[in-house]
Amino acid sequence: MTPMLTRLLSMDRVYLSFKEKRVLDNLTFEVRRGETFGFLGPSGAGKTTTIKLLTRQLVKDSGTVELFSRPIENAHDADYERIGILSDTSSLYERMSIEDNLRFYAKIRGVSDAGIGELLERVGLANDRKTLIKKCSKGMRQRATLLAALIHNPELLFLDEPTSGLDPATRLEVHRMLKDMHDRGTTIFLTTHDMTEAEELCDRVGILDNGSLVACDEPGALKLRFAENKVRIVMNDNVALETTKDAAGAVIIAQALESGGVVSIHSEEPSLNDVFLRLTGKEFE
């Protein structure tokens, strides 16, 4: 039996408004220690605002926010040394090279810079290590900023669109890095517009719409919740049969298999993107 994971951070009935606009509306969820938690939602749903609340860049109007299992108001500077952040407020020094930026972040985090070369290799920046940040492409900046967030092996990692602007090969390597961190026990809070990325990396996902959580579960469980009660059977004469996921359908499937003419059998399971659209009615932008 899988051991029960303890709660690392949470929000309970949190509200936040900017002037007349309510940005977070009764937001409630928890993230368990050691899991990768995907936080999904259309543009403007409140994802980045949530990260800013959890990292004390903003203050809630009401409700309870806990970080490392205690009220965020009681968080110490030492708690934030246990955190890595990649967000729209993350920054590198424009007139310094990629490598010098990473050495600087290692120094202020109080860790060795001995592993910088390996990190640069993993995201394809080894040959660009001396390039000034101001001369980097968007993808190079994104990779360098991610490495700055990882430099001290954080216990908790906030990632806001970490693979935005990356080519497929680099995106795959970033996914491998995040899986390695997950396997070592790092807790990851991930926002992404990439449903394939969410399914591949996340233990659970929460779907946010208009500042409220409309669903929260394992990706597979969410898809099953919205699956239709249909099975499609394709025969070798290109005839397609449809039946149901019940005893009557099992008889039809068995008969089709006995005929020897079955090419494929598909359950009508939605993708995570289909679930997202049903819950929010919005495409990702």
Side-chain angles (χ1 to χ4, degrees):
M1 181 179 293
T2 303
M4 189 70 173
L5 297 176
T6 57
R7 183 174 68 197
L8 190 71
L9 61 89
S10 65
M11 286 187 168
D12 184 30
R13 292 168 290 179
V14 170
Y15 291 85
L16 177 66
S17 298
F18 296 148
K19 295 184 178 180
E20 302 300 318
K21 179 178 175 57
R22 177 159 285 174
V23 181
L24 300 181
D25 187 4
N26 195 31
L27 182 57
T28 299
F29 68 91
E30 68 176 29
V31 177
R32 301 160 187 166
R33 185 179 297 276
E35 77 172 337
T36 297
F37 183 83
F39 203 54
L40 314 177
S43 297
K47 303 186 300 298
T48 300
T49 297
T50 300
I51 289 180
K52 288 181 178 179
L53 275 178
L54 290 167
T55 54
R56 244 178 10 182
Q57 298 174 66
L58 289 173
V59 178
K60 59 185 168 53
D61 294 335
S62 63
T64 302
V65 179
E66 290 191 352
L67 180 66
F68 297 118
S69 302
R70 61 177 177 271
I72 199 166
E73 292 83 3
N74 299 338
H76 305 295
D77 289 343
D79 292 325
Y80 288 90
E81 292 301 315
R82 301 159 67 184
I83 292 174
I85 306 171
L86 186 154
S87 71
D88 60 356
T89 59
S90 302
S91 62
L92 299 173
Y93 291 93
E94 294 280 314
R95 296 182 180 275
M96 291 170 59
S97 69
I98 294 172
E99 182 177 26
D100 287 344
N101 264 282
L102 297 182
R103 293 192 186 283
F104 175 76
Y105 274 99
K107 183 175 181 179
I108 64 175
R109 289 292 194 174
V111 298
S112 169
D113 60 9
I116 287 176
E118 181 183 350
L119 287 174
L120 290 167
E121 286 280 359
R122 291 201 66 176
V123 297
L125 288 176
N127 293 334
D128 301 298
R129 62 200 309 154
K130 298 301 182 183
T131 303
L132 299 182
I133 294 299
K134 67 179 182 179
K135 294 185 177 180
C136 288
S137 66
K138 178 184 176 182
M140 292 167 65
R141 283 174 180 260
Q142 186 78 348
R143 283 176 279 166
T145 306
L146 175 61
L147 295 187
L150 301 178
I151 198 73
H152 60 302
N153 276 321
E155 181 180 339
L156 170 61
L157 185 58
F158 289 100
L159 298 176
D160 195 2
E161 302 291 339
T163 57
S164 174
L166 302 186
D167 63 81
T170 305
R171 182 183 304 235
L172 182 62
E173 189 53 53
V174 169
H175 286 181
R176 290 195 186 107
M177 293 174 69
L178 297 181
K179 288 177 182 177
D180 287 346
M181 296 188 73
H182 174 273
D183 291 344
R184 294 198 301 269
T186 304
T187 304
I188 302 173
F189 187 97
L190 169 72
T191 75
T192 180
H193 280 171
D194 186 334
M195 293 290 98
T196 301
E197 180 169 83
E199 289 196 60
E200 184 176 343
L201 296 179
C202 297
D203 299 299
R204 291 187 303 137
V205 296
I207 297 179
L208 190 71
D209 189 34
N210 294 322
S212 298
L213 208 64
V214 294
C216 185
D217 210 333
E218 297 175 4
L222 277 178
K223 292 192 294 182
L224 286 175
R225 188 186 308 174
F226 290 92
E228 295 184 19
N229 185 31
K230 291 181 181 178
V231 176
R232 182 179 175 84
I233 308 167
V234 179
M235 309 298 289
N236 55 16
D237 54 3
N238 289 325
V239 172
L241 309 175
E242 280 198 356
T243 187
T244 50
K245 301 175 185 176
D246 52 24
V251 172
I252 294 173
I253 293 170
Q255 291 172 344
L257 290 171
E258 288 173 4
S259 74
V262 173
V263 175
S264 64
I265 301 176
H266 304 276
S267 62
E268 296 295 314
E269 181 180 299
S271 67
L272 190 57
N273 190 63
D274 293 332
V275 173
F276 177 88
L277 287 171
R278 284 193 55 178
L279 289 169
T280 69
K282 300 166 188 170
E283 293 275 6
F284 276 122
E285 297 175 6

